[in-house]
Amino acid sequence: MRKIVATLTRTNGLLTRSLGLVMVFVFTVILLTQLYTFDRFPGVISSALGLPVEVASVICGVIVLAELLSLPFLLNIPLSTLMRVLSVLLGFVVLGFWAYVSLIMRNTFDPLRNTGIAGDTVIIPGGWWFVYYLAGLIVIYVWYSVRMVRSK
């Protein structure tokens, strides 16, 4: 118990912890909205990326699992080194995938074409704002990752 308490109190400053909680909030909202309408999620990804529904189903499962497994690192839960590295990398995979989707849909001005980041629960259209939003999330995630890896 002492080791867990010592690990949790040996974090960086307030800014780093706050950015980690922001990322946890964002990932949790994205994850819950995708899971709420998971049966229609492959169709949304299929229409956004122009893939067959079978391939989109596999991608949806991988993305949701990656979002879930990236949360322990963001919550600063004491993990083994392998799980910690896996959790960091899965966070980068999730953000990289959504950045790819945002770059594909950046010039789409159809307000009814869904990017799929919130599943089919909320229609979030693409555009340059979505690219900038994900660039901001990537900067926050890189900041948090570098600060937390240096502190361990």
Side-chain angles (χ1 to χ4, degrees):
M1 183 65 164
R2 285 181 170 232
K3 182 178 180 185
I4 292 173
V5 171
T7 304
L8 290 177
T9 58
R10 190 185 42 185
T11 58
N12 288 305
L14 181 65
L15 178 64
T16 304
R17 286 184 296 208
S18 300
L19 290 177
L21 290 177
V22 165
M23 290 304 295
V24 165
F25 177 75
V26 169
F27 273 37
T28 304
V29 168
I30 290 171
L31 181 64
L32 290 176
T33 55
Q34 289 170 356
L35 287 175
Y36 186 71
T37 56
F38 192 73
D39 53 339
R40 296 187 304 254
F41 188 40
V44 172
I45 294 298
S46 169
S47 68
L49 297 177
L51 297 172
V53 178
E54 296 80 18
V55 175
S57 298
V58 173
I59 289 174
C60 291
V62 169
I63 288 299
V64 167
L65 186 64
E67 289 168 353
L68 180 66
L69 290 177
S70 66
L71 289 177
F73 170 73
L74 291 170
L75 289 170
N76 199 18
I77 295 174
L79 302 167
S80 68
T81 306
L82 178 63
M83 185 58 196
R84 190 167 191 78
V85 169
L86 181 68
S87 186
V88 172
L89 291 178
L90 288 175
F92 280 115
V93 165
V94 167
L95 290 173
F97 174 76
W98 290 118
Y100 174 72
V101 170
S102 71
L103 288 174
I104 286 177
M105 298 190 68
R106 71 182 176 272
N107 292 326
T108 315
F109 296 109
D110 183 10
L112 297 178
R113 189 158 181 212
N114 193 358
T115 58
I117 195 166
D120 202 22
T121 307
V122 180
I123 294 177
I124 299 179
W128 282 105
W129 74 271
F130 192 54
V131 175
Y132 295 137
Y133 169 74
L134 281 165
L137 287 181
I138 290 170
V139 167
I140 291 172
Y141 193 79
V142 167
W143 170 279
Y144 183 79
S145 300
V146 167
R147 298 290 295 205
M148 293 309 292
V149 167
R150 283 194 343 198
S151 72
K152 296 293 177 190

